[in-house]
Structure formats: structure tokens, C-alpha cells
Amino acid sequence: MATNLAQLVLDGLKKRLDSNNQITVPKKGGKIYTAQFTFNPPATEELVIKFSRETHWHLPPDFKNFLLLHNGARLFENTKTGGGYELLSLYEIPDNHLDYMPKDCFSEYRETLQIGHNPVK
């Protein structure tokens, strides 16, 4: 029986979120902050196939499974200061792919597919 790791992880996370998709997160020194989670609607199987065919990029199975549940997400966004992490949607990946690659990076990293980033700068 195949296990959908993306589904298991998301189910576990969502059980910890309140009705507003928020969670209280402890920080160093006893401080806490409220983190917001935003999940996009799912991608269709057809969209995932079209993306791979048009870009010639291989999507790892777990990320494909995630996309079929949520075509992108924002995770651990601080409700007061922003930040957090973003898993890009299929619409955003092509526009962000090489923008995050250093100009002098090794050639093997050019084969890396950028699927997310930490928007905190």
C-alpha cells in the first residue's frame, strides 16, 4: 500500500491549527508568536501533467502529491510581522526558478527546481 507522505504531514499539521488556520509558536527566551497558514486550492492532475510537459521539469512524487492537495501554500507567516515560508504554485515556479540561483553556482545546481522560498529578506 502506497503512503501519501504529503497527505499525512498536512493532516498532522492541520490538526494542530485553530479554526483560523493559526497556531501559537514558541520562540527563544519564552516568547511566542501566532503563525498563519494559507493553503491554495488543489491543482488538477491535468495541470500537473501540462506543467511537466511544457517545462520539461520532473516533479518529485511527494511534491506532486502536495500540489494535488494544495497548489501552493504559505507556512508559519507571523501575523504581526509577516515572513514565513512559501511553497510556490505551479503558476509561480517558472517565474521564480532561476531568480534565486546564484550567478556563479555550480552547474549541478542549475538542475534544481525552485519550489519555495523564505520571503523574509
Side-chain angles (χ1 to χ4, degrees):
M1 180 175 134
T3 301
N4 184 335
L5 183 60
Q7 182 73 59
L8 290 172
V9 170
L10 285 168
D11 287 349
L13 171 63
K14 288 179 179 180
K15 285 178 186 175
R16 300 191 64 209
L17 301 177
D18 67 17
S19 60
N20 295 316
N21 281 345
Q22 296 180 344
I23 190 172
T24 301
V25 180
K27 291 175 60 174
K28 288 183 180 179
K31 296 181 181 182
I32 59 170
Y33 76 96
T34 302
Q36 178 73 46
F37 292 76
T38 307
F39 301 99
N40 294 354
T44 63
E45 183 76 38
E46 293 79 21
L47 181 61
V48 173
I49 292 168
K50 180 181 175 190
F51 174 87
S52 293
R53 185 176 53 241
E54 290 179 358
T55 62
H56 303 283
W57 292 336
H58 170 76
L59 295 173
D62 286 330
F63 186 60
K64 246 164 103 170
N65 289 336
F66 168 77
L67 292 168
L68 295 171
L69 298 168
H70 299 289
N71 188 13
R74 291 188 65 86
L75 311 172
F76 292 98
E77 184 175 9
N78 189 311
T79 57
K80 294 191 187 321
T81 62
Y85 300 91
E86 182 172 12
L87 291 174
L88 302 173
S89 72
L90 289 174
Y91 304 111
E92 298 167 309
I93 291 171
D95 292 336
N96 287 277
H97 179 58
L98 291 176
D99 293 344
Y100 293 91
M101 304 277 181
K103 298 218 184 301
D104 60 344
C105 72
F106 300 107
S107 62
E108 70 251 28
Y109 295 117
R110 292 251 178 236
E111 300 300 318
T112 304
L113 178 61
Q114 182 72 33
I115 62 169
H117 64 88
N118 180 342
V120 178
K121 302 213 186 241

